[in-house]
């Protein structure tokens, strides 16, 4: 294990002060150009040196015919060239004294015997020069905190707390949008591709030491060094959660992984055991992978399994109760003192069973502050799950009989939303109990979106919330024992 | 069983030519007023008669002090009054000669013994006058094809094909938005509440006969007439699919249902058996309920379990393969002739294994027409699952080096999207094989949204697509045997 983050070979890959770029040109349809334009778009502040045989300038940067001509030794080289000339570029990087490389190009081990031989050659060149590299057949790195994104799609939203190690490049670049819509963002995302030189394990070590990373997500098609993987995971999980999606366990997933990154997958039970024994929380789908990250990255330790459901609609309440039960969580009855406190603010026909169903209420602030405040004081409960459905149209209707202008109504709706979000948010700080929301509406609606931005996890459907809560509990039980 | 839809007691409830409305006033904060304003918003064309003790006009309609004063006998009365005066209103409806009523008001059986007695009284009054009614404690009916929506929230999108019977009113009104975002809509949605007079079974019968309903969705907290339920379901499922969500099977769900609609739930296995023996497809969550409806309402019969995955990213392809495998579906190898045909249009490094991964392509039309067209001809495959991620930004970038104005680029992007959607859509008609999409982006993005609107089912995440495909297969296997 590394003792400081600077020791990791990933350190200068994720935090380069300067980058040489092979394969970018002024032709926008080339992958290299697309990657460089993403780097530009996010505003990376280090030096950029395009290497191009004929162009004088590439996307506004002075271009160099050979890497040997550069005025300095860049921290990182990114290679996006046809397979046949990748080895030559690596050789030139070595001669220049570059120690860190990302090989985006594919056509290696994942394509068969010939490609595997080519990959062997690439590895030997790197070894000869003491180069550490990510790839080939990868998208390398995105470090949002450094404004570094040499991947095809632009990042979205602010820098985040999810550190990703992925055997799929798509799950770096195509997830910027997904994570942002779901209230998250990557701290640093690492795509290992064929993992010829740097594999998943070194990436985990790096993210374990990365201060911006609160939770590590793994996308795995196959692991080669099982023992080292477990050792590294066990060193990390007592202080930082790791969630893993392994797709090689089904026959179909195994074959898909083999033709994608040349990974040799193993039986599902073996991976299950490896994860369990090293405190890694297993996700069954990509959706779960990031659902679990959201809970683990935002919520405090739950005291136990007991959940209160707060709703204003019976069906969503019953669906939540069912989902919680199936996820192994429990719904305690409220104590007499909680019921007494609720009775002063909820209507007579409302239910003080759990789910607490306040039914049709006149004052939003009851939902967003008074009721959850009372429920969070309940000593029989460890977590609170709240149903959110407050479409603008509902608040607007409430204001319509005040005879205001449409403009004023819009402003008032906004003001009310902010006010309620703030009131609700203070509760997440006040009791130290996990508070989770669920909705069937879009996460892009104002109320929910504001809460997500404040770091309150809200899920689409109670089943996703319930499983994330179970994952949170599973992690903290492990952590409590280690 | 009814022999024609007109025989159903629901017929005039779902298709009233005139409605008397108890409980609407000019105070916008009252539930009755909210319901009536939703009716107005959708543009119901029948006569509306508000009944109000003091107001002369309610929301622009002439109001009547008593229902006995109305100039005609309306087809339907909707009662949204305080519990204590509901029986009296029902009595007056009876005296007027009204035969169909919706009782929205709660405070009956779901609140305990006193409420149960009151509900008994309500039932007796209805029986005395030969009235059939939905409720109490329900939201009644929404028939989008008739522009009838007496529920709190406005409908969204065009009329649809999902017929819902729900023991939760929320799952009627709060799902307009959800269904529209997911490419569906209700044909007619029925909220039975406590089911005092009309229960789930009669609603199923009605939707079984309803020509606008292609698939029936059930939300169940507990069934009282098990034998009749199965008999009715078995009469429907050979010609129209039924999907059911039952939340009473877990201890937590059972208790929640009891305090919600006073339902007595039974063990999960019993319901499982009932569903299986009557050809009802069981969903585990509300998300699945409507995911399955989307597949069943839009797709043709699949020939078998064999699925080809078409992707341009390895990770999403492997994740799909894994999800399909777990859902009991298979990924056949492509035949030599299909591979030959593909080879002429996909790059050398692309994979012709299954998933078919065409990697980085220059021409969108390959993805949307040429490649799927070849794959649909494959005789070893029954279904096609396609990964969709074509964010506008990607198409825009491709156009940027053509030196066009931003305005022109926007127009061209739109044009390209429509063109590709059209090209893809023709394939759904050409081969009669189910075609399903998945994405990790928002369903509101142009490309995906256009496809959804054309009736191509696209899911968020391959696991949801895979489970929907398995449900489709399960249903058609049942149908083939009955």
């Amino acid at each position: 294990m590394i003792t400081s983050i600077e020791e990791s070979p990933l350190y200068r890959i994720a935090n380069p002060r300067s980058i040489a770029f092979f394969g970018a040109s002024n032709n926008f349809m080339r992958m290299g150009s697309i990657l460089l334009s993403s780097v530009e778009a996010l505003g990376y502040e280090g030096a950029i040196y395009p290497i191009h045989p004929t162009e004088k300038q590439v996307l506004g940067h002075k271009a160099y015919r050979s890497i040997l001509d550069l005025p300095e030794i860049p921290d990182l080289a990114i290679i996006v060239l046809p397979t046949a000339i990748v080895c030559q570029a690596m050789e030139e990087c070595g001669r220049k004294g570059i120690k860190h490389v990302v090989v985006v190009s594919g056509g290696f081990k994942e394509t068969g015997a010939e490609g595997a031989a080519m990959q062997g050659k690439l590895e030997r060149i790197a070894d000869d020069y003491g180069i550490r590299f990510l790839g080939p057949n990868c998208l390398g790195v995105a470090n949002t905190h450094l404004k570094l994104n040499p991947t095809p799609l632009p990042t979205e939203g602010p820098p985040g707390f999810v550190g990703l190690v992925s055997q799929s490049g798509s799950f770096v670049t195509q997830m910027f949008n997904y994570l942002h819509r779901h209230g998250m963002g990557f701290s640093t995302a690492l795509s290992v591709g064929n993992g010829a030189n740097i594999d998943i394990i070194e990436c985990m070590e790096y993210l374990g030491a990365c201060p911006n990373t609160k939770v590590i997500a793994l996308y795995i098609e196959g692991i080669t060094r099982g023992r080292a993987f477990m050792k590294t995971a066990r060193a990390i999980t007592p202080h930082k959660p790791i969630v893993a999606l392994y797709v090689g366990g089904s026959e179909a997933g195994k074959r898909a992984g083999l033709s994608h990154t040349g990974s040799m997958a193993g039986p599902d039970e073996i991976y299950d055991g490896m994860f369990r024994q090293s405190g890694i929380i297993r996700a069954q789908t990509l959706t779960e992978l990031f659902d679990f990250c959201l809970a683990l990255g935002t919520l405090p330790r739950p005291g136990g399994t007991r959940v209160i459901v707060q709703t204003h609609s019976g069906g969503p309440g019953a669906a939540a109760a069912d989902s919680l039960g199936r996820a192994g969580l429990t719904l305690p009855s409220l104590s007499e003192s909680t019921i007494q406190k609720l009775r002063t603010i909820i209507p007579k026909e409302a239910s003080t069973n759990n789910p607490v169903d306040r039914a049709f209420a006149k004052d939003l602030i009851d939902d967003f502050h008074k009721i959850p405040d009372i429920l969070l004081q309940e000593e029989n409960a460890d977590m609170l799950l709240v149903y959110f459905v407050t479409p603008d149209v509902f608040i607007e209707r409430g204001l319509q009989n005040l005879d205001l202008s449409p403009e004023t109504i819009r402003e008032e709706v906004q003001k009310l939303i902010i006010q309620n979000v703030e009131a609700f948010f203070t509760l997440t700080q006040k009791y130290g109990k996990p508070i989770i929301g669920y909705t069937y509406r879009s996460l892009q609606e104002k109320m929910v979106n504001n809460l997500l931005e404040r770091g309150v996890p809200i899920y689409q459907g109670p089943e996703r919330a319930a499983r994330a809560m179970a994952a949170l509990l599973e992690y903290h039980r492990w952590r409590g024992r280690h």
Side-chain angles (χ1 to χ4, degrees), chain A:
Chain A
M1 288 292 292
I2 54 173
T3 56
S4 83
I5 192 169
E6 290 83 1
E7 283 175 36
S8 166
L10 273 314
Y11 184 67
R12 278 297 162 212
I13 292 178
N15 302 278
R17 290 159 299 192
S18 50
I19 306 173
F21 225 102
F22 290 88
S25 69
N26 293 311
N27 177 351
F28 273 95
M29 291 306 289
R30 304 301 295 264
M31 182 56 98
S33 315
I34 290 173
L35 301 194
L36 182 52
S37 69
S38 291
V39 172
E40 292 294 314
L42 191 55
Y44 171 69
E45 287 163 3
I48 293 171
Y49 302 111
I51 313 299
H52 197 278
T54 54
E55 307 270 9
K56 296 271 177 244
Q57 285 234 329
V58 169
L59 306 180
H61 297 276
K62 177 173 160 49
Y64 295 82
R65 279 198 54 196
S66 161
I67 196 157
L68 299 168
D69 301 340
L70 295 192
E72 62 165 322
I73 302 170
D75 279 345
L76 178 66
I78 297 177
I79 301 176
V80 199
L81 294 171
T83 318
I85 58 172
V86 170
C87 282
Q88 183 194 327
M90 182 69 91
E91 175 89 38
E92 285 170 15
C93 287
R95 284 166 56 204
K96 180 69 180 180
I98 291 174
K99 295 298 174 200
H100 299 97
V101 173
V102 169
V103 182
V104 174
S105 316
F108 294 88
K109 191 178 163 194
E110 78 280 9
T111 60
E114 202 181 321
M118 183 81 95
Q119 185 170 316
K121 186 177 166 197
L122 190 68
E123 289 173 41
R124 282 191 302 278
I125 296 168
D127 286 348
D128 288 348
Y129 289 101
I131 294 172
R132 301 303 312 275
F133 70 96
L134 272 175
N137 185 27
C138 78
L139 282 181
V141 64
N143 178 352
T144 57
H145 294 268
L146 191 78
K147 296 190 270 184
L148 173 66
N149 174 31
T151 78
L153 288 168
T155 62
E156 298 187 33
F161 59 76
V162 178
L164 175 73
V165 188
S166 176
Q167 280 179 299
S168 156
S170 311
F171 288 150
V172 174
T173 198
Q174 292 174 18
M175 290 297 128
F176 292 134
N177 173 271
Y178 183 90
L179 290 194
H180 180 47
R181 285 189 295 117
H182 291 80
M184 288 168 279
F186 287 128
S187 48
T188 289
L190 300 162
S191 153
V192 296
N194 297 359
N197 180 285
I198 296 176
D199 70 357
I200 293 177
I201 298 165
E202 283 185 295
C203 294
M204 283 164 64
E205 269 189 318
Y206 174 77
L207 294 174
C210 166
N212 297 320
T213 299
K214 287 190 192 171
V215 52
I216 299 172
L218 307 178
Y219 168 75
I220 298 171
E221 295 182 353
I223 292 167
T224 43
R225 302 191 289 142
R227 208 177 287 252
F229 174 83
M230 286 178 64
K231 192 176 161 206
T232 300
R234 289 179 73 105
I236 294 170
T237 51
H239 63 91
K240 194 178 282 191
I242 304 179
V243 188
L245 169 63
Y246 171 59
V247 298
S250 63
E251 187 53 35
K254 181 177 160 184
R255 275 186 285 123
L258 183 61
S259 89
H260 177 215
T261 50
S263 299
M264 289 304 297
D268 213 46
E269 313 78 64
I270 305 241
Y271 277 77
D272 230 26
M274 280 191 349
F275 295 152
R276 213 174 31 247
Q277 286 167 46
S278 45
I280 293 175
I281 308 301
R282 183 168 185 183
Q284 295 296 336
T285 63
L286 197 84
T287 307
E288 272 194 7
L289 182 72
F290 293 121
D291 277 0
F292 293 0
C293 285
L294 180 60
L296 286 159
T298 57
L299 294 171
R301 185 180 67 81
T305 60
R306 301 167 306 172
V307 183
I308 297 180
V309 177
Q310 178 192 333
T311 182
H312 47 75
S313 297
D322 187 53
S323 292
L324 289 166
R326 288 172 195 278
L329 299 163
T330 56
L331 277 79
S333 297
L334 304 190
S335 64
E336 204 41 55
S337 72
T338 302
I339 293 174
Q340 293 302 332
K341 282 183 257 177
L342 282 176
R343 279 285 164 227
T344 64
I345 52 167
I346 66 173
K348 198 168 70 72
E349 68 273 24
S351 169
T352 53
N353 294 325
N354 185 8
V356 176
D357 184 352
R358 68 99 175 111
F360 186 59
K362 280 176 191 134
D363 201 343
L364 271 185
I365 201 74
D366 289 351
D367 277 354
F368 288 95
H369 197 83
K370 288 188 194 162
I371 296 174
D373 196 26
I374 292 168
L375 297 178
L376 284 161
Q377 293 166 36
E378 170 61 62
E379 54 186 13
N380 289 336
D382 305 303
M383 298 189 255
L384 180 64
L385 178 60
V386 182
Y387 180 53
F388 279 110
V389 56
T390 314
D392 293 4
V393 59
F394 235 82
I395 310 179
E396 270 170 39
R397 273 194 189 158
L399 294 170
Q400 261 156 12
N401 50 345
L402 299 181
D403 208 23
L404 305 166
S405 73
E407 177 78 356
T408 313
I409 288 181
R410 255 197 308 281
E411 281 168 22
E412 287 299 313
V413 168
Q414 267 298 0
K415 217 185 289 173
L416 266 170
I417 286 173
I418 300 291
Q419 204 179 321
N420 282 291
V421 162
E422 286 306 316
F424 189 80
F425 181 72
T426 61
L427 298 175
T428 65
Q429 311 297 304
K430 190 170 170 189
Y431 295 100
K433 289 183 181 178
I435 303 177
I436 302 97
Y438 70 104
T439 181
Y440 291 111
R441 295 184 73 90
S442 164
L443 298 179
Q444 278 18 271
E445 293 205 7
K446 285 189 195 116
M447 182 80 78
V448 163
N449 195 251
N450 268 289
L451 284 164
L452 276 177
E453 277 178 8
R454 297 297 304 256
V456 180
I458 299 183
Y459 293 91
Q460 289 181 303
E463 65 278 9
R464 289 174 63 175
R467 290 186 56 82
M469 292 161 87
L472 180 74
L473 198 62
E474 185 187 340
Y475 171 67
H476 282 285
R477 280 179 171 162
W478 164 271
R479 187 163 162 160
R481 291 196 306 269
H482 290 85

